[in-house]
Each structure stands twice: as C-alpha cells, then as structure tokens.
Amino acid sequence: TVVQHYGWNPWAIALPEPTLPGAALGWEAGGSVASGAVLGVYLLVAAAWVVGTGAMLGLLVRDWRRLVCLRRQAADASAELTERVAELASRLGVTPPQVMVSARVRTPCVFGCLRPTLLVPASTGGESVIGDAVLAHELCHLRQRDCVWRWAGRVAIAWLFFQPLLGVLCRRIDEVCETVCDDAAVMTTDDRRG
C-alpha cells in the first residue's frame, strides 16, 4: 500500500510503507505463534548445517594431520629408488616428489598438494621389487593434480554434507582418476604387469 498525503503539496512523494526484514518470509511485527515456529525451524536447520559442516571439516583436518604425521615418521628411500622415480617423473613431465619409505603403508601412494611425497611400503623387502608401472601410476596422480581435486571434493562434501549425490560424484571422479592413471602408466612404461 501507498501512504497518501492529503492537501496540496507539490513536493509530496508517495512512499511505500516500511516493512520489516522478515515480512517476505511471513513473519509479522506482532510475533504470532506461527511466525515464531517458522523462525524456530529456520534456526534449527541453520544450527544443524553449522554442526554438520563443522564436523565434516573437523574430519578433514584430522585426515590432513594424519598425513603430516605419516610423512614425519617415514624414512628417506634409497638412492636407486629416488633415481628411478626422477627418471619416470621426467618422462611424465612432472617435478619428482620426495620419495620416502614407511612401514605404515601397504601400497605406494602419493600425497601432498604443495610438497608432494611418494610413500612406498617398507614391507616390500627391497624397493627394487616395486615396478615402474606402479611408480608411474602414482606420478600420474601428480601430473593430473588429483590431490587438489580430491581435497576440493572433500571440502565440497563437508560444505554440502546433506547432499548424497555429491558423495557419489566424488567417488566416481576418484574411479575415473585411477583408470586414467592406470592407462597413462601402461603407456609410459609399456609394462602391463604393474
């Protein structure tokens, strides 16, 4: 509605009536029981989202700290393995990562977005047992920046934890990354055994 001005005033301007910020949501100035219930539901949903997102981000920080501890507890790899990784990295066009040996991993893995580290298991008995295709597979993850994409997916899942299809999408992206790295490793090393 418009406020009407009576009398002759050339400067009178028809102004809309002031409204409260919650008027668009159905809240009224009187504070009826229904509007209080709606506000309560909105606050409950917002609180649930904050708690859920905080919990998911907390899990993400916990996982990051575990990786940092894993890197600290690992030992440097032999010069032979480091040279093999450097040669494969040059073939793939990536900067060679730090190569370390850990008793806490079962298979070779690469992690770290800023300071990538390639961890190989200490249980192999000899680092020469690890095939070039396996090492090339891990280096392909660096070339494709899979670490960045996986962390971005984990942050998105934390932010939108209530959306189950986002988790399905991230798992599918992980599967495709693994397949692409397998293919690239075979083409790089011409070793189909792994």
Side-chain angles (χ1 to χ4, degrees):
T1 62
V2 176
V3 176
Q4 297 182 0
H5 297 278
Y6 296 102
W8 187 81
N9 185 351
W11 306 107
I13 300 173
L15 298 173
E17 288 182 8
T19 59
L20 296 174
L25 299 174
W27 304 337
E28 297 177 8
S32 68
V33 174
S35 65
V38 169
L39 179 62
V41 169
Y42 283 128
L43 289 176
L44 185 64
V45 168
W49 178 80
V50 167
V51 168
T53 299
M56 296 296 285
L57 288 174
L59 292 174
L60 194 59
V61 169
R62 181 203 64 188
D63 291 346
W64 173 74
R65 291 184 72 192
R66 284 182 178 174
L67 289 175
V68 169
C69 286
L70 193 61
R71 180 185 286 147
R72 282 189 193 140
Q73 294 172 355
D76 288 334
S78 67
E80 175 196 347
L81 182 62
T82 304
E83 289 173 12
R84 284 176 52 208
V85 169
E87 191 270 323
L88 285 169
S90 68
R91 275 201 256 171
L92 289 167
V94 296
T95 304
Q98 181 181 12
V99 184
M100 302 186 89
V101 177
S102 174
R104 295 180 59 194
V105 295
R106 294 183 183 154
T107 61
C109 62
V110 68
F111 64 88
C113 298
L114 301 176
R115 292 184 308 147
T117 302
L118 175 63
L119 280 181
V120 295
S123 62
T124 57
E127 295 161 355
S128 59
V129 174
I130 302 170
D132 283 349
V134 174
L135 297 173
H137 171 94
E138 297 304 324
L139 293 172
C140 286
H141 285 298
L142 289 179
R143 183 176 69 181
Q144 295 178 184
R145 309 223 189 301
D146 287 345
C147 179
V148 174
W149 292 112
R150 285 184 176 172
W151 278 101
R154 298 273 312 267
V155 168
I157 288 173
W159 191 256
L160 300 170
F161 66 92
F162 51 86
Q163 175 53 267
L165 293 179
L166 189 57
V168 172
L169 175 66
C170 287
R171 280 191 297 276
R172 181 66 183 134
I173 288 172
D174 289 348
E175 291 171 5
V176 169
C177 287
E178 291 298 323
T179 302
V180 168
C181 288
D182 285 343
D183 293 344
V186 168
M187 288 190 300
T188 301
T189 62
D190 211 22
D191 180 8
R192 298 186 188 280
R193 295 172 291 120

